Amino acid sequence: MKFKRLVSILCSAATAVASLAMPLPPAMQTAKAAASGPVSYYGQLQKSGNQIVGAKTGNPAQVKGMSFFWSNWGGQYWNSGIVNRMVDEFKCEILRCPVGVDESGSMYSSGDVSMLRTVLDAAISNDIYVIVDWHSHGAHNNTNAAKSFFNDIARDYGKYDNVIFELYNEPTKVSWNTVKSYAEAVIPTIRQYSDNLIVVGTPTWSQDVDSAAYNQINDENIAYVMHFYAGTHGDSLRQKANTALNQNAAVFISEWGTVNADGDGAVNYNSTKEWLSWMDSRKLSWCNWAINSKAEGSSIFTSDGQGLTDAGKYLKEILNAHAETAEWRNAAPVTETTTTTTTTTTTTTTTTTTTTTTTTTSVVTTAATTSDSAATAASSTSTTTTTAEPFSALQLPESGSVILEAEAYSAMDGIRLEDCVLGGQNVGYIESGDWMEYAVSCNNEQTYELAVRVASQNGGGKFTISADGKTIASFEVPRTGDWQNWETIQTEVTIPAGTKALKLVAQEGGFNVDQFAFTAVKKNTLGDVNLDGTVTIADAILLQRYLLSEKTLTAEQAAQADMNQNHVISVIDLTLLKTVLIQR
Ligand code: IDC
């Protein structure tokens, strides 16, 4: 019986392989690339709780990129060549277009709209997000000008998932109520055409996200804008955003600088690292100021326009590092681009393309050289059980890496925070029986390489990690020679679906913890097309029905079906899958 089946499978496989070896009909040769950028992957950006998620993935989507300079002064860069360069060289996933508006709320030059359209078109063809920013410090003085502008842009561009509307760059010293009334007048103009994300500036040069969060706009898809300049701003501004997040407001960093708030001065690397790590831990999307060559610290181009400034070099490095772990770049193949039925066989072949790059654990291995986040939890005594500021649960990813700062606990007993030599804070004074608990959210069971950054003058510490009460890992802490000499210890952990809390409990004290890095381990269940955890004939049947166009596959399922890992799902994969089943 087995033999017979094998023969028939081999025969049909031989026919299929032979037919595939023949020249492809024209339609098959022109298979179109699928998700080439973040927008195809995440879809429209949407507020969900205090996060911005991708409509297609349901998971937080953190996108990073650059802001152009005021259109009225930096217009020479508003062209498709620069958009391409920003995508290819800087790896931008988002660009921001600050349309210059004066204090009275009027556009400096109506001609700027045509430059804006050029950039929007280029961003859309690059499959990246793009913010239309009414770059004003007095927009509420002229609501009608904003309404007319957003009406035209939303009418023409609101249908594209790429586009985000930013209503008011930076209100200055006005009340949130004033800004809110302005926003409430402009929003319906956009909503006639588009339910895309709208981001709204907040008082005090977009710093008072907390006031906005306490009195939110009644609309389903709004985020509040916070801006910072690393040379000027630090912890106290981050605390305002933490407060806003705790009020279930979504926060968007549509502009930030590595330099001082006047846009000039030297790059403040340490402060920038603290901000970056803080934004990463909360999955906040951002744009950096600015694509320009004016002789000031925030410009990324030198004043002759030829080279990159310190800020430019640094931003390129940051954005390129992000590209290595960005979820959309590491995602599984996307299915169903072109389907063609050949006339010589009854086999239908679907060509699948992908932009997969290898998921690396670079976050983990390079972590020790980067600064960690700033203090995020209130310091507390060493004797009482304390609930820190309620943190949003950390979404554990299905691919790539995420860092959980040790100080971002939701509850703890016995520990204390202290300044960390790498920047930010770490958990210290851990004694036997002390613990920290972390709010997480984990949709599906997933295996991770868990790397914990620890320091211990003398060694001998021991701790366990549990998921909703069940121990999933045990660690022994080596001697690192100093309380601030950090090393990473790691092990593989499997976190069950639905886990809400991870807890570290010290069995033996005498160690410090700075952060936990989770890197998703790709499940090695190739062939599990129906994703039920095992490889059976049901998977082969599903794949066969897919090839006969009777069923569709999700990207995750297609990844499982791609047995020979060539990013094309064909009858060869079916043959391989059947061979695996038969040989067992
Ligand atoms: C600054 C420019 C500067 C220009 C000034 C005009 O860098 O060359 O003279 O605008 O107002 C912001 C604003 C942004 C500022 C930037 C730096 O959104 O327009 O650009 N900044 O000061 N908020 C905080 C800082």
Side-chain angles (χ1 to χ4, degrees):
M1 183 62 191
K2 237 181 182 183
F3 179 68
K4 230 170 140 188
R5 273 168 56 194
L6 184 60
V7 169
S8 79
I9 288 161
L10 288 178
C11 287
S12 63
T15 318
V17 170
S19 76
L20 283 174
M22 293 189 306
L24 299 174
M28 283 177 86
Q29 292 169 356
T30 56
K32 191 172 135 275
S36 53
V39 179
S40 293
Y41 179 78
Y42 298 117
Q44 185 195 57
L45 296 182
Q46 285 177 347
K47 173 187 153 76
S48 170
N50 63 5
Q51 296 278 294
I52 298 296
V53 303
K56 289 190 181 171
T57 63
N59 289 329
Q62 185 192 24
V63 290
K64 304 182 180 180
M66 292 298 306
S67 175
F68 284 95
F69 195 76
W70 294 80
S71 55
N72 48 306
W73 292 311
Q76 76 270 31
Y77 291 111
W78 290 51
N79 58 57
S80 59
I82 287 289
V83 173
N84 296 342
R85 180 171 175 195
M86 286 297 126
V87 172
D88 297 340
E89 182 184 330
F90 279 72
K91 310 279 182 243
C92 287
E93 302 166 319
I94 181 168
L95 291 172
R96 174 179 185 244
C97 306
V99 174
V101 175
D102 65 22
E103 303 278 310
S104 71
S106 300
M107 211 184 304
Y108 278 107
S109 162
S110 56
D112 292 0
V113 172
S114 71
M115 303 186 327
L116 170 68
R117 287 173 183 270
T118 303
V119 172
L120 293 179
D121 293 339
I124 291 165
S125 62
N126 272 285
D127 206 15
I128 61 165
Y129 293 98
V130 60
I131 302 178
V132 179
D133 161 34
W134 191 243
H135 200 75
S136 175
H137 292 102
H140 66 281
N141 295 323
N142 192 349
T143 306
N144 283 340
K147 279 167 80 172
S148 137
F149 168 80
F150 282 113
N151 180 75
D152 293 357
I153 300 300
R155 181 195 59 217
D156 298 345
Y157 290 94
K159 59 178 172 290
Y160 297 103
D161 288 344
N162 312 66
V163 178
I164 298 162
F165 301 95
E166 181 166 6
L167 302 191
Y168 192 156
N169 168 45
E170 290 181 350
T172 56
K173 291 280 178 195
V174 291
S175 70
W176 167 245
N177 274 332
T178 302
V179 181
K180 190 180 177 213
S181 305
Y182 159 86
E184 284 166 346
V186 179
I187 288 168
T189 315
I190 296 172
R191 289 287 177 248
Q192 309 171 68
Y193 308 108
S194 177
D195 57 2
N196 283 3
L197 181 64
I198 294 179
V199 300
V200 186
T202 53
T204 323
W205 294 274
S206 287
Q207 294 177 30
D208 297 345
V209 272
D210 46 351
S211 340
Y214 283 122
N215 180 11
Q216 295 185 34
I217 295 167
N218 185 15
D219 182 279
E220 305 248 294
N221 204 8
I222 299 272
Y224 300 96
V225 167
M226 193 177 85
H227 290 170
F228 70 85
Y229 279 73
T232 306
H233 305 117
D235 253 348
S236 55
L237 187 51
R238 284 190 284 268
Q239 287 311 332
K240 277 170 164 292
N242 289 338
T243 303
L245 293 168
N246 290 338
Q247 294 304 315
N248 226 19
V251 172
F252 207 98
I253 315 284
S254 63
E255 181 189 306
W256 69 274
T258 54
V259 299
N260 298 332
D262 64 359
D264 207 359
V267 172
N268 187 326
Y269 292 96
N270 284 339
S271 172
T272 299
K273 282 175 190 161
E274 289 185 8
W275 276 104
L276 289 172
S277 154
W278 175 83
M279 291 190 287
D280 284 351
S281 66
R282 284 152 180 79
K283 296 258 182 208
L284 301 181
S285 294
W286 55 254
C287 293
N288 176 270
W289 186 260
I291 303 170
N292 200 23
S293 53
K294 177 174 172 178
E296 63 177 0
S298 55
S299 296
I300 59 166
F301 298 128
T302 51
S303 37
D304 59 5
Q306 299 302 307
L308 296 181
T309 59
D310 285 349
K313 287 179 199 149
Y314 192 31
L315 259 297
K316 184 172 159 179
E317 186 184 312
I318 293 166
L319 289 164
N320 275 268
H322 170 66
E324 286 191 15
T325 54
E327 184 184 322
W328 67 272
R329 292 185 202 263
N330 292 294
V334 177
T335 61
E336 294 185 314
T337 51
T338 301
T339 305
T340 308
T341 308
T342 68
T343 47
T344 48
T345 73
T346 54
T347 310
T348 302
T349 305
T350 298
T351 306
T352 311
T353 51
T354 177
T355 51
T356 301
T357 55
T358 317
T359 305
T360 66
T361 52
S362 60
V363 169
V364 177
T365 50
T366 61
T369 61
T370 63
S371 157
D372 76 359
S373 84
T376 45
S379 59
S380 45
T381 70
S382 60
T383 48
T384 51
T385 300
T386 306
T387 302
E389 259 193 276
F391 279 91
S392 52
L394 178 80
Q395 177 84 44
L396 294 171
E398 284 168 23
S399 63
S401 303
V402 72
I403 287 183
L404 173 62
E405 292 295 344
E407 64 268 35
Y409 52 77
S410 53
M412 63 87 171
D413 187 34
I415 58 96
R416 264 197 269 169
L417 298 183
E418 60 185 2
D419 286 341
C420 177
V421 71
L422 301 173
Q425 294 198 299
N426 63 261
V427 170
Y429 300 88
I430 302 174
E431 287 154 8
S432 151
D434 292 349
W435 54 266
M436 296 95 82
E437 190 169 277
Y438 300 89
V440 296
S441 131
C442 178
N443 300 339
N444 300 307
E445 180 184 281
Q446 173 68 49
T447 301
Y448 295 91
E449 187 67 31
L450 167 59
V452 190
R453 198 196 281 169
V454 294
S456 173
Q457 189 157 53
N458 309 311
K462 285 187 185 159
F463 63 90
T464 53
I465 304 280
S466 61
D468 288 352
K470 182 174 162 278
T471 300
I472 54 170
S474 305
F475 286 91
E476 293 192 1
V477 183
R479 178 179 177 278
T480 66
D482 189 277
W483 295 111
Q484 289 293 330
N485 201 18
W486 297 94
E487 281 179 27
T488 295
I489 52 179
Q490 44 197 316
T491 190
E492 212 167 86
V493 295
T494 296
I495 301 188
T499 297
K500 297 231 169 343
L502 294 178
K503 188 170 179 179
L504 178 154
V505 182
Q507 280 76 45
E508 299 288 339
F511 63 96
N512 294 346
V513 184
D514 183 38
Q515 63 175 212
F516 308 87
F518 296 86
T519 303
V521 176
K522 288 226 169 78
K523 284 185 214 136
N524 192 15
T525 50
L526 206 55
D528 181 16
V529 186
N530 61 11
L531 306 177
D532 68 351
T534 53
V535 180
T536 65
I537 189 70
D539 298 299
I541 291 169
L542 176 57
L543 175 52
Q544 181 162 326
R545 296 191 67 187
Y546 168 70
L547 293 169
L548 292 169
S549 292
E550 293 173 14
K551 288 270 181 198
T552 56
L553 297 182
T554 64
E556 200 185 347
Q557 289 178 316
Q560 293 300 318
D562 186 11
M563 298 296 289
N564 58 3
Q565 299 282 287
N566 70 344
H567 308 308
V568 177
I569 312 294
S570 74
V571 70
I572 299 172
D573 297 303
L574 178 60
T575 306
L576 289 169
L577 174 51
K578 286 181 175 173
T579 309
V580 166
L581 289 168
I582 288 159
Q583 284 173 350
R584 283 210 299 225

